[in-house]
Amino acid sequence: MTNPADKYADEALRIDPVKMRSDADLVRGRFWDKLRASLSRLPFAQKLIAARYAATDPATPVRDKAVLLGALAYFIMPLDAIPDFVSLLGFTDDLGVLLLALRTASGAIRPEHHAKAREWLDGGPLATADPDEVARGRVIDHE
């Protein structure tokens, strides 16, 4: 005997190529803008992005660069003290590490880093480090 719910499940799982194409166009056209807009509402997003700019700035002192890069790497790592997928708590350890790093290296995060972060959050491109600076060993991270 078949379960009546199976009929509805089969209907729900049917792939509609027109809808799929429409969804793909929507994702291609608006995903990054939506993500950027969502990030801009996080209270620490600008500080986090400014820290990334400071960490890749050749003028940032090595000690501050190391602190910022360590905290940013911890933020990115999939495994940490409290896994990120844990509801509501997953990013608390990341936030704690980031806030401590931001406090420790606060003098290295200059107004131009905050301006670049704000520009990116407002829709500007994410600047990359100059490859020549990287080759000279003055920048640790680049894209």
Side-chain angles (χ1 to χ4, degrees), residues 58-118:
T60 300
V62 174
R63 177 187 171 277
D64 293 325
K65 219 180 258 259
V67 168
L68 293 171
L69 286 171
L72 292 168
Y74 186 84
F75 175 71
I76 295 168
M77 287 187 329
L79 297 174
D80 50 30
I82 303 173
D84 294 339
F85 63 83
V86 176
S87 181
L88 298 176
L89 296 175
F91 289 103
T92 56
D93 61 322
D94 298 322
L95 182 58
V97 169
L98 286 167
L99 290 175
L100 181 60
L102 291 171
R103 183 178 219 172
T104 302
S106 64
I109 303 173
R110 297 189 313 277
E112 59 264 29
H113 300 136
H114 287 286
K116 285 181 180 179
R118 184 79 256 153

